[in-house]
Amino acid sequence: MIRKNPAFENLAAGYLFPEIAKRRRSYAAAHPDAKLISLGIGNTTEPLTPYITAAMKSYVEALGTAAGYSGYGDDSAGEAPLRAKIASVLYGGLVGADEVFVSDGAKCDVGRVQQMFGAAVSVAVQDPAYPVYVDGSVMVGAAGKMPASAAGYADVTYMPCLPENNFFPDLSVVKPDSLIYFCSPNNPTGAVATKAELRRLVDFARANGCIILFDAAYFAFIRDPSLPKTIFEIDGARECAVEINSFSKPIGFTGVRLGWTVIPKELRFADGTPVQTLWTRLTNTFFNGASNIAQAGGLASLDPEGLAEMRTLTDYYLENARLIREALSGANFTAEGVETYAQGNAPYLWVRFPGRKSWEVFDAILDRCRVVTTPGAGFGPAGESFIRFSSFGHRSAVVEACDRLAQLKL
């Protein structure tokens, strides 16, 4: 019999979000009358907006005609008009259309990117971090087994991002020639790196032969004009960074599936091979391109009408976040020493419950408030004692959840 890939032996049991869903189902089965509200997984809830929906509907109707039908695209990198519009509208010309590669989502691209670097690369991640960065590294063999202490996977450099360091890591712990995973606005902490901080990150990467994998999937939530929405606002980033991005959260495409990756022409491997060359070969082999229908919606979202709808939708979730933060500032939480971190530029709140285990707090909030959250420990060792609250939810449900949380006594 064929043996499985031995790297999978190193994975800790269970991916975070299916584990949360499993616990939620178990609790619901044991408490059939409980009305559970989710402030956990970052899945959008509001309907697709009218202008974007109309564009997709029109495209679908055209597919039913001989003149309007389209099959495979000419290039797995995406439709040329969409690539050009992403470059011009979202990047203001900081990147070229031929450096934009459209995909079926940021998470999918993270998995594909890891194949380019293989098992020999050193990996450094913000801690806490979106789980796919680490789990994907384990699957390709770039990380070892999780020790019994659950202090993190072997061969991964964890860069703690805590309130004490303003959620920006000490880069000196990173090995030369590492792949550095960095997310801003950050999932799960909601922190947004300043231009000065990204300047330090880029300078470090260039000086030490590192490549930054920059996840900007929450760029559309940034309201502070002084904060960078892309790493390519920083001089020198084109020589050391790949940016992965998504339409999922800005326009509600979590199920529609559409994203993109930017790979500058200047970015090269140690032997001089352009990273674009490998990426093009990889995606042409494993990927037939994003859905034509989804790309039509993405293109419409970058029209003035679509951008206005994007702003309205992200404002909606940011208002939800404000309501949750207000609920968590009540007397009961203050008495417990609970600390809430939210800058107003991300859909997540990162909340510390001093002296408590994350899963313990998760269970307590679930049982006493019937509210589902996300335990911080699932994002890495530095996430212990934290809970992530997501603002993705219908307003009525969020308001009710806030009323319940305001009464919580741990």
Side-chain angles (χ1 to χ4, degrees):
M1 295 292 289
I2 296 175
R3 296 181 180 180
K4 64 178 177 290
N5 181 343
F8 280 68
E9 293 283 358
N10 293 330
L11 284 170
Y15 186 66
L16 173 61
F17 300 111
E19 176 62 24
I20 291 171
K22 176 183 175 182
R23 293 192 183 209
R24 175 180 178 165
R25 289 192 300 269
S26 177
Y27 188 88
H31 304 83
D33 296 328
K35 179 185 176 183
L36 298 183
I37 299 174
S38 178
L39 300 181
I41 294 176
N43 193 7
T44 51
T45 58
E46 301 312 295
L48 297 181
T49 54
Y51 184 79
I52 296 169
T53 301
M56 297 170 72
K57 179 180 178 182
S58 177
Y59 192 92
V60 169
E61 290 174 343
L63 288 175
T65 69
Y69 177 75
S70 61
Y72 290 130
D74 292 335
D75 190 337
S76 66
E79 297 295 327
L82 178 57
R83 299 175 73 189
K85 209 161 191 178
I86 289 172
S88 63
V89 174
L90 296 182
Y91 291 90
L94 290 172
V95 305
D98 56 355
E99 297 174 316
V100 175
F101 297 82
V102 178
S103 73
D104 52 347
K107 186 176 183 180
C108 306
D109 271 355
V110 170
R112 284 188 279 261
V113 160
Q114 289 166 329
Q115 296 181 59
M116 291 197 299
F117 299 97
V121 70
S122 296
V123 172
V125 298
Q126 287 169 292
D127 180 20
Y130 187 47
V132 71
Y133 306 154
V134 174
D135 286 10
S137 298
V138 174
M139 290 177 180
V140 298
K145 195 173 183 64
M146 177 81 75
S149 64
Y153 284 100
D155 302 321
V156 173
T157 298
Y158 289 85
M159 304 180 293
C161 294
L162 297 163
E164 291 75 17
N165 60 10
N166 197 35
F167 298 104
F168 188 82
D170 175 7
L171 298 173
S172 68
V173 301
V174 179
K175 301 174 185 176
D177 306 322
S178 287
L179 181 61
I180 303 174
Y181 289 90
F182 199 94
C183 179
S184 179
N186 185 266
N187 178 15
T189 69
V192 184
T194 65
K195 285 186 178 179
E197 288 169 337
L198 290 188
R199 169 84 271 161
R200 286 158 53 193
L201 177 63
V202 167
D203 287 348
F204 178 88
R206 294 178 67 193
N208 291 275
C210 299
I211 291 179
I212 303 161
L213 186 64
F214 190 80
D215 184 344
Y218 298 93
F219 77 98
F221 292 88
I222 295 176
R223 295 293 179 265
D224 184 341
S226 71
L227 295 173
K229 292 187 176 183
T230 169
I231 196 161
F232 297 116
E233 293 183 34
I234 310 302
D235 290 341
R238 293 179 57 85
E239 301 170 14
C240 65
V242 169
E243 182 165 295
I244 292 180
N245 217 316
S246 174
F247 286 101
S248 286
K249 308 305 165 62
I251 60 173
F253 270 26
T254 49
V256 176
R257 308 306 304 152
L258 189 66
W260 71 92
T261 289
V262 177
I263 303 182
K265 294 174 183 176
E266 293 92 328
L267 187 63
R268 297 178 181 273
F269 291 102
D271 65 357
T273 303
V275 175
Q276 267 201 16
T277 300
L278 263 67
W279 183 248
T280 300
R281 182 69 174 87
L282 188 155
T283 52
N284 283 342
T285 301
F286 292 110
F287 182 56
N288 277 333
S291 158
N292 296 341
I293 301 166
Q295 290 189 70
L299 189 64
S301 76
L302 301 179
D303 288 340
E305 299 91 338
L307 291 169
E309 291 182 346
M310 184 189 300
R311 177 79 179 208
T312 298
L313 186 61
T314 50
D315 277 347
Y316 181 93
Y317 293 125
L318 288 173
E319 174 62 11
N320 282 351
R322 187 194 67 79
L323 293 172
I324 298 168
R325 181 173 186 174
E326 189 174 275
L328 296 173
S329 66
N332 291 343
F333 290 97
T334 303
E336 291 282 343
V338 173
E339 303 162 357
T340 301
Y341 299 93
Q343 299 177 347
N345 295 290
Y348 299 122
L349 296 91
W350 191 235
V351 184
R352 178 154 59 183
F353 293 79
R356 307 290 292 269
K357 295 290 187 181
S358 294
W359 281 106
E360 172 195 338
V361 177
F362 169 90
D363 287 335
I365 294 175
L366 178 60
D367 186 50
R368 299 172 196 175
C369 298
R370 308 303 203 253
V371 171
V372 180
T373 59
T374 311
F379 295 100
E384 188 60 91
S385 297
F386 287 87
I387 290 288
R388 189 192 74 174
F389 288 83
S390 169
S391 67
F392 294 111
H394 299 308
R395 181 63 49 77
S396 59
V398 169
V399 168
E400 182 173 346
C402 288
D403 289 341
R404 297 180 191 180
L405 288 168
Q407 307 302 317
L408 176 65
K409 292 184 179 180
L410 292 173

